[in-house]
Amino acid sequence: MKAHDGLYIDGAWRPAESTEVIEVVNPADEQVIARVPAGGALDVDTAVRAARAALPAWAATPPAERAARLTALRDTLVARKDEIAGTVTAELGAPLPFSQAVHAAVPIAVAGSYAELAASHPFEEKVGNSTVLHEPIGVVGAITPWNYPLHQIVAKVAPALAAGCTIVLKPAEDTPLTAQLFAEAVHEAGVPAGVFNLVTGLGPVAGQALAEHPGVDLVSFTGSTAVGRQIGAVAGAAVKKVALELGGKSANVILPSADLAKAVNVGVANVMSNSGQTCSAWTRMLVHRDRYEEAVELAAAAAARYGDRIGPLVNAKQQARVRGYIEKGIAEGARLVAGGPQSPYEKGCFVSPTVFADVTPDMTIAQEEIFGPVLSILRYDDEEDALRIANGTVYGLAGAVWAGDEAEAVAFARRMDTGQVDINGGRFNPLAPFGGYKQSGVGRELGAHGLAEYLQTKSLQF
């Protein structure tokens, strides 16, 4: 797509107050492919004012009409799915088949789910002698990451629209073209002016201005735990609601009765997906010591098959960060069985698919989120030891359990301190709530639980 040289505010593309620009780089060849405005505090203020002005009418719009706009948005995204996939591939570096199957298809499914929820959700309910109203929380400041650029936008904007909220979106500076394409789709879908607004810009400038703005009622942020803490502090000072989807260090627990080959192969695929740039990736594989070496051999062979099948990391800074973690893993005594810190190509922000064995729970690579194609394999003695290791980080976003008997896996999963657990390779469900325990965040996305984040309750007594 051709980049816009303005910001989408109040239903039109407008010049930014700031003259600064953001260069968009294709991480596969490190060439600049576009330039977009780096909006500042004045632009954020204009966008928030537009959202506040549009709020009363949109909040009063019947849910059926809001559902119709979401259906139109879904249909527009369907019509432009090839353009979406190509845009994500260009600015994120994801292989085109993955962009088509995940980056384009999943947001379409999520948008459709909120079109249905907008039409069916009980925005009023009777509780004894009271009528309880579920009303839009107001103006939403949405700050989204680069790793799933369209999915994370839709996961925030679609429920906000369904709830009757208005939105100002500040997307990640690495992937602003996908956000501009989404703004075009919103416009084509007939969403009223001011209901959705887009300000491209840098996090410390536009993002901070959005989080601090007194006209914003809810800040919905997906990104690092460190930035999430800062946003939480700013919001807390203003007694403003936040929804935070933050980091993860998810455990893939393979119980002795599991189909080991299947569990290992699916586990490696999960870590290598999107070049490892997935907050919910199962980056810690836990295997009983009796089958540990067999699992290591399977994982090393599986990772080798991904050598030329994964894309680059999003930028050179992220590449250097991941390579630094790999070097730290070697320095702390982990056994490298696949990949390593070297780049497999002369050009581009690539990192080799990497697997470590003999990882202990106290190692840096077993505790900190790496956000790259790096798997750590840990051994455990018994089920209680596995549970201690699985729960032994500050994170609690996702995880997996494998066992020959489903009931055995479910019993273990119930004891894990994490927000979502896949049982024997369970499929993604766009209606299931997604979000974390502990320092993985506050609140939930997707489905009815995601819609609830954008609503506030009022009770009328009779």
Side-chain angles (χ1 to χ4, degrees):
M1 65 168 289
K2 184 179 183 298
H4 289 275
D5 58 3
L7 310 173
Y8 185 77
I9 297 176
D10 204 17
W13 294 95
R14 303 167 183 268
E17 294 287 343
S18 170
T19 59
E20 300 296 317
V21 298
I22 296 169
E23 291 188 337
V24 185
V25 176
N26 183 331
D29 59 14
E30 300 182 80
Q31 298 298 305
V32 176
I33 58 174
R35 291 174 176 84
V36 302
L42 289 176
D43 299 302
V44 168
D45 182 65
T46 302
V48 172
R49 289 177 183 276
R52 290 225 72 87
L55 179 62
W58 183 246
T61 300
E65 176 56 25
R66 299 202 295 263
R69 292 308 98 215
L70 280 163
T71 298
L73 176 59
R74 189 267 325 268
D75 293 346
T76 302
L77 295 175
V78 169
R80 303 183 71 166
K81 64 182 186 299
D82 291 338
E83 186 180 6
I84 292 168
T87 301
V88 174
T89 292
E91 62 181 355
L92 179 63
L96 186 59
F98 187 79
S99 290
Q100 293 168 330
V102 177
H103 286 293
V106 172
I108 289 170
V110 172
S113 74
Y114 278 112
E116 295 177 3
L117 274 169
S120 63
H121 187 78
F123 289 97
E124 293 188 15
E125 59 178 323
K126 291 292 293 182
V127 179
N129 64 305
S130 301
T131 297
V132 178
L133 311 178
H134 300 279
E135 300 179 335
I137 198 165
V139 174
V140 174
I143 304 174
T144 56
W146 46 260
N147 60 326
Y148 288 90
L150 185 60
H151 169 63
Q152 293 292 346
I153 289 171
V154 171
K156 298 181 189 306
V157 173
L161 292 176
C165 297
T166 56
I167 308 105
V168 177
L169 168 67
K170 204 298 287 183
E173 46 262 40
D174 291 289
T175 53
L177 302 182
T178 301
Q180 288 191 344
L181 195 157
F182 178 77
E184 292 178 359
V186 168
H187 192 84
E188 291 175 25
V191 175
V195 171
F196 170 83
N197 306 273
L198 169 67
V199 177
T200 53
L202 301 177
V205 181
Q208 183 170 340
L210 186 58
E212 293 178 345
H213 200 290
V216 171
D217 301 295
L218 162 68
V219 181
S220 181
F221 169 79
T222 298
S224 72
T225 297
V227 176
R229 290 192 192 101
Q230 296 172 13
I231 290 174
V234 168
V239 196
K240 181 184 303 185
K241 184 178 179 181
V242 294
L244 305 174
E245 198 267 280
L246 308 175
K249 194 68 183 176
S250 301
N252 180 17
V253 182
I254 304 175
L255 297 176
S257 63
D259 180 335
L260 184 66
K262 181 178 180 181
V264 170
N265 282 307
V266 174
V268 171
N270 176 277
V271 172
M272 302 307 161
S273 177
N274 209 39
S275 302
Q277 300 170 128
T278 303
C279 55
S280 58
W282 311 332
T283 51
R284 295 180 298 143
M285 182 179 288
L286 278 57
V287 184
H288 191 274
R289 65 172 50 255
D290 290 347
R291 306 193 72 185
Y292 185 80
E293 289 302 330
E294 182 184 356
V296 169
E297 291 181 10
L298 287 167
R305 293 194 291 271
Y306 283 87
D308 59 356
R309 291 167 54 189
I310 65 173
L313 300 185
V314 69
N315 55 38
K317 180 181 178 181
Q318 184 68 11
Q319 179 193 38
R321 179 178 183 273
V322 172
R323 291 171 69 177
Y325 272 110
I326 296 172
E327 291 167 352
K328 178 157 274 192
I330 295 171
E332 291 185 358
R335 174 166 47 115
L336 186 67
V337 297
Q342 72 283 355
S343 178
Y345 306 109
E346 292 183 4
K347 185 180 293 187
C349 305
F350 292 88
V351 170
S352 297
T354 298
V355 177
F356 280 107
D358 299 339
V359 178
T360 58
D362 60 330
M363 288 183 179
T364 302
I365 59 172
Q367 289 292 322
E368 297 184 12
E369 184 176 44
I370 298 173
F371 228 59
V374 182
L375 171 65
S376 296
I377 309 180
L378 299 89
R379 58 169 58 84
Y380 66 86
D381 295 322
D382 54 30
E383 190 170 300
E384 292 304 315
D385 190 35
L387 185 68
R388 176 186 63 81
I389 296 170
N391 290 340
T393 75
V394 299
Y395 298 110
L397 186 57
V401 183
W402 301 79
D405 178 58
E406 184 177 284
E408 179 187 5
V410 170
F412 189 96
R414 288 180 180 275
R415 302 169 70 196
M416 293 175 72
D417 297 334
T418 191
Q420 191 172 79
V421 184
D422 291 350
I423 306 296
N424 289 336
R427 293 177 293 111
F428 171 73
N429 179 4
L431 297 178
F434 178 77
Y437 286 22
K438 300 188 286 187
Q439 292 187 30
S440 285
V442 176
R444 292 295 180 268
E445 294 187 327
L446 304 181
H449 294 82
L451 176 60
E453 296 294 333
Y454 299 89
L455 296 168
Q456 55 190 347
T457 54
K458 176 188 294 179
S459 62
L460 309 179
Q461 279 64 250
F462 295 91

